[in-house]
């Protein structure tokens, strides 16, 4: 009899002569294998790693775990449905089997996460790392060719982190945690790559967790605030607008700029909560300034919009609700989007921008010139302002290449009827 108690599967095998042997074998197989891919599941992986650790201790030979996570797999499920995602996982499992040795264990943990157990590796650390890098690259090459599934042609890549035992851990829990950290480092390194675990990753993970907990506390205890940087007209110096910039007033460390803590946030829900807080607070401040007769209201307030925030299915409705709740005037609100945010899904971005334009909002393309969007896409976007990245502006007086790039952007903007804001201008000349 096989029953599921929460997350734990319990197999009770009764010695019943009337129970056919093939049924018992089937139940045992189901208990230890993933039903979608027929690969060993987490339970069987744990058992095999335990035995591998024992063999390693007796023989002195080393082994390894490779942690694979597919890059942007959620996008496939969201756009094409889980049935296509399941077919992709099955085909990927087949390719892994064909690529690796028969004695290697390939396990699916769930979702798009896979772990490979390798044993009897070379004793020399440098040789092991070279071997594992070669194996990781073989896996990447095997996954690279297109997947043709029900009329869809798909391409996927994987980020891979690996650990060596007993060097990086002497038990299953430690090894899996370290392999997971290495995999996430591969994600941060640009995806579709393989990264070995380093002890410093443990320290960074602890620091990230501490920062995330402190940010949650900062949201509750009102330690966050917005600072507004004026945007000046180049001819008369008049304040045209103001950009909302996040600041964290830490009780011990003082004011902390976002570039110090935002890169450490891996919790997508927390990042989204932070982005929503910034937008709402900017709208509240804009409405408050407009109601104060003794304050000069800028023509607009600009707010940076995060990629995850912008691509939420109900983002337009969220913006409409916040405008109504705060009383902020939409025609005084400018949303800043980077080329990266737009190019994540250009068609959806254009549609969403048009819907928000209907509410009266305007748009700026932030850090223009540093992304990878084409002029053909730019022409289709309902943008109002181009913001030139400070990297082109900083040395404009000394670097003729920067000066030429800025002149080109100014020409493009003039031809398309767009305004231009240059970031990082600190001197009148």
């Amino acid at each position: 009899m096989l029953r599921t108690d929460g997350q734990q599967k319990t197999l009770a095998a009764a010695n019943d002569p009337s129970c056919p042997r093939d049924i018992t074998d089937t139940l045992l197989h189901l208990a230890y294998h993933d039903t979608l891919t027929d690969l060993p599941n987490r339970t069987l992986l744990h058992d095999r790693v335990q035995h591998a650790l024992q063999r390693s201790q007796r023989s002195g030979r080393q082994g390894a775990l490779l942690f694979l996570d597919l890059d942007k797999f959620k996008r496939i499920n969201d756009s094409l449905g889980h049935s296509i995602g399941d077919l992709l996982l099955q085909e990927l499992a087949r390719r892994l089997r064909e690529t690796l040795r028969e004695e290697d264990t390939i396990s699916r943990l769930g979702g798009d996460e896979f772990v490979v157990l390798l044993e009897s590796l070379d004793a020399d650390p440098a040789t092991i790392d070279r071997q594992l890098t070669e194996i990781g690259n073989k896996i990447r090459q095997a996954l690279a060719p297109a997947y043709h599934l029900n009329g869809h042609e798909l391409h996927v890549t994987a980020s891979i982190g690996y650990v060596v035992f007993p060097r990086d851990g002497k038990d299953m829990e430690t090894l899996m945690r370290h392999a997971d950290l290495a995999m996430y480092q591969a994600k941060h390194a640009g995806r579709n790559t393989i990264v070995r675990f380093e002890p410093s990753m443990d320290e960074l993970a602890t620091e990230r967790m501490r920062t995330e907990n402190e940010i949650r506390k900062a949201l509750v205890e009102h330690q966050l605030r917005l600072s507004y940087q004026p945007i000046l007209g180049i001819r008369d110096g008049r304040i045209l607008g103001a950009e909302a910039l996040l600041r964290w007033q830490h009780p011990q460390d003082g004011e902390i700029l976002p570039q110090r803590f935002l890169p450490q946030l891996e919790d997508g829900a927390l990042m989204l909560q932070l982005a929503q807080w910034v937008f709402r607070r900017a709208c509240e401040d804009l409405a408050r300034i407009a109601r104060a007769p003794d304050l000069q209201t800028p023509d607009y307030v600009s707010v940076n919009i995060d990629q995850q925030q912008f691509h939420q299915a109900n983002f337009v409705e969220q913006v409409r609700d916040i405008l109504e709740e705060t009383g902020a005037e939409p025609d005084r609100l400018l949303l800043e989007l980077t080329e990266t945010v737009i190019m994540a899904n250009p068609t959806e971005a254009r549609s969403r921008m048009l819907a928000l334009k209907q509410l009266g909002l305007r748009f700026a393309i932030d850090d223009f010139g540093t992304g990878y969007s084409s002029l053909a896409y730019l022409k289709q976007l309902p943008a109002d302002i181009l913001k030139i990245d400070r990297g082109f502006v900083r040395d404009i007086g000394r670097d003729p290449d920067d000066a030429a790039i800025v002149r080109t952007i100014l020409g493009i903007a003039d031809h398309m009827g767009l305004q231009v804001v240059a970031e990082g201008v600190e001197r009148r000349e």
Side-chain angles (χ1 to χ4, degrees):
M1 178 180 65
L2 182 67
R3 67 178 186 271
T4 302
D5 302 318
Q7 295 296 318
Q8 184 177 0
K9 292 181 178 178
T10 303
L11 183 69
N15 186 15
D16 184 357
S18 65
C19 182
R21 179 57 185 257
D22 57 345
I23 294 179
T24 303
D25 291 344
T26 299
L27 291 175
L28 283 169
H29 188 86
L30 288 172
Y32 291 111
H33 290 79
D34 172 53
T35 55
L36 178 66
T37 62
D38 203 38
L39 294 175
N41 61 16
R42 186 187 294 266
T43 302
L44 183 52
L45 174 68
H46 186 278
D47 183 68
R48 291 186 179 177
V49 170
Q50 292 298 108
H51 285 93
L53 287 168
Q54 292 169 6
R55 285 191 291 269
S56 173
Q57 189 175 20
R58 290 195 302 267
S59 67
R61 302 297 297 271
Q62 302 190 71
L65 290 179
L66 281 70
F67 197 123
L68 288 74
D69 186 273
L70 300 188
D71 299 322
K72 301 182 180 179
F73 178 72
K74 184 177 183 296
R75 185 181 298 176
I76 294 173
N77 272 342
D78 290 346
S79 58
L80 301 178
H82 288 271
S83 60
I84 296 297
D86 287 349
L87 290 175
L88 176 62
L89 293 172
Q90 289 172 336
E91 171 61 17
L92 184 141
R94 185 189 67 78
R95 294 188 187 186
L96 288 175
R97 287 192 193 96
E98 291 181 350
T99 303
L100 296 166
R101 303 174 302 180
E102 188 174 347
E103 61 264 33
D104 298 330
T105 295
I106 308 165
S107 171
R108 179 181 177 229
L109 300 185
D112 59 343
E113 294 181 338
F114 296 82
V115 170
V116 177
L117 167 63
L118 306 171
E119 292 189 70
S120 301
L121 299 176
D122 196 285
D124 177 59
T127 303
I128 288 179
D129 288 323
R130 186 166 60 250
Q131 283 180 322
L132 293 175
T133 300
E134 291 172 356
I135 292 170
N137 287 330
K138 279 180 62 179
I139 291 173
R140 290 172 54 234
Q141 290 167 9
L143 303 187
Y147 297 75
H148 297 277
L149 306 168
N150 287 1
H152 301 283
E153 180 177 310
L154 304 176
H155 295 267
V156 296
T157 58
S159 297
I160 305 173
Y162 75 84
V163 290
V164 175
F165 57 83
R167 180 184 74 187
D168 300 322
K170 296 180 174 61
D171 59 80
M172 175 74 169
E173 182 180 352
T174 302
L175 288 169
M176 288 294 290
R177 181 165 55 85
H178 288 170
D180 189 48
L181 289 173
M183 182 275 292
Y184 271 105
Q185 189 60 39
K187 294 277 188 190
H188 287 301
R191 301 186 175 91
N192 191 28
T193 189
I194 179 167
V195 171
R196 62 171 280 182
F197 170 76
E198 301 286 351
S200 59
M201 295 177 186
D202 234 348
E203 300 168 12
L204 289 173
T206 301
E207 177 63 20
R208 279 195 294 267
M209 184 178 296
R210 185 188 68 82
T211 299
E212 289 181 351
N213 289 336
E214 289 198 348
I215 286 291
R216 291 187 179 92
K217 184 178 179 182
L219 283 164
V220 173
E221 297 186 356
H222 309 292
Q223 297 172 14
L224 303 177
R225 65 179 181 84
L226 294 183
S227 177
Y228 290 91
Q229 179 172 290
I231 300 170
L232 308 178
I234 194 168
R235 291 187 176 88
D236 56 11
R238 186 173 71 88
I239 296 179
L240 302 177
E243 180 178 0
L245 302 174
L246 179 62
R247 297 291 183 263
W248 178 10
Q249 196 62 41
H250 194 280
Q252 283 80 44
D253 300 336
E255 184 176 88
I256 302 177
L257 302 182
Q259 53 264 40
R260 273 187 57 192
F261 61 87
L262 288 184
Q264 297 190 53
L265 299 187
E266 290 188 338
D267 187 331
L270 180 58
M271 181 68 84
L272 183 59
Q273 185 181 358
L274 205 55
Q276 291 171 337
W277 181 91
V278 169
F279 181 73
R280 177 177 287 275
R281 177 53 58 88
C283 289
E284 291 171 347
D285 289 348
L286 181 60
R288 187 162 46 250
I289 293 171
R291 290 194 297 267
D294 55 332
L295 293 178
Q296 178 187 353
T297 307
D299 292 347
Y300 64 87
V301 166
S302 66
V303 184
N304 291 278
I305 301 299
D306 174 74
Q307 179 168 325
Q308 183 184 4
Q309 179 185 20
F310 182 71
H311 288 289
Q312 280 186 293
N314 65 337
F315 179 64
V316 175
E317 289 75 16
Q318 285 183 28
V319 170
R320 182 189 295 115
D321 292 344
I322 291 174
L323 289 173
E324 291 177 356
E325 292 166 11
T326 60
E329 300 177 57
D331 58 351
R332 290 184 180 273
L333 200 59
L334 181 79
L335 304 187
E336 296 192 12
L337 305 173
T338 64
E339 294 177 75
T340 303
V341 170
I342 293 168
M343 295 306 293
N345 190 331
T347 303
E348 179 187 79
R350 183 176 184 276
S351 173
R352 198 150 291 177
M353 290 172 73
L354 287 171
L356 290 165
K357 292 279 279 190
Q358 291 292 317
L359 299 180
L361 284 80
R362 298 190 301 150
F363 288 93
I365 308 301
D366 197 12
D367 298 336
F368 184 74
T370 62
Y372 50 89
S373 65
S374 68
L375 293 180
Y377 276 120
L378 176 63
K379 185 176 65 174
Q380 298 173 22
L381 296 174
D384 304 277
I385 293 175
L386 294 183
K387 292 189 69 176
I388 305 176
D389 184 72
R390 68 177 64 244
F392 300 128
V393 175
R394 184 173 50 243
D395 298 324
I396 193 172
R398 298 185 297 272
D399 189 328
D401 291 337
D402 283 347
I405 291 171
V406 170
R407 280 196 298 271
T408 300
I409 295 175
L410 290 172
I412 292 170
D414 182 62
H415 180 74
M416 299 180 68
L418 303 176
Q419 293 178 294
V420 175
V421 172
E423 298 178 338
V425 177
E426 298 176 352
R427 299 184 303 274
R428 181 173 292 275
E429 65 271 18

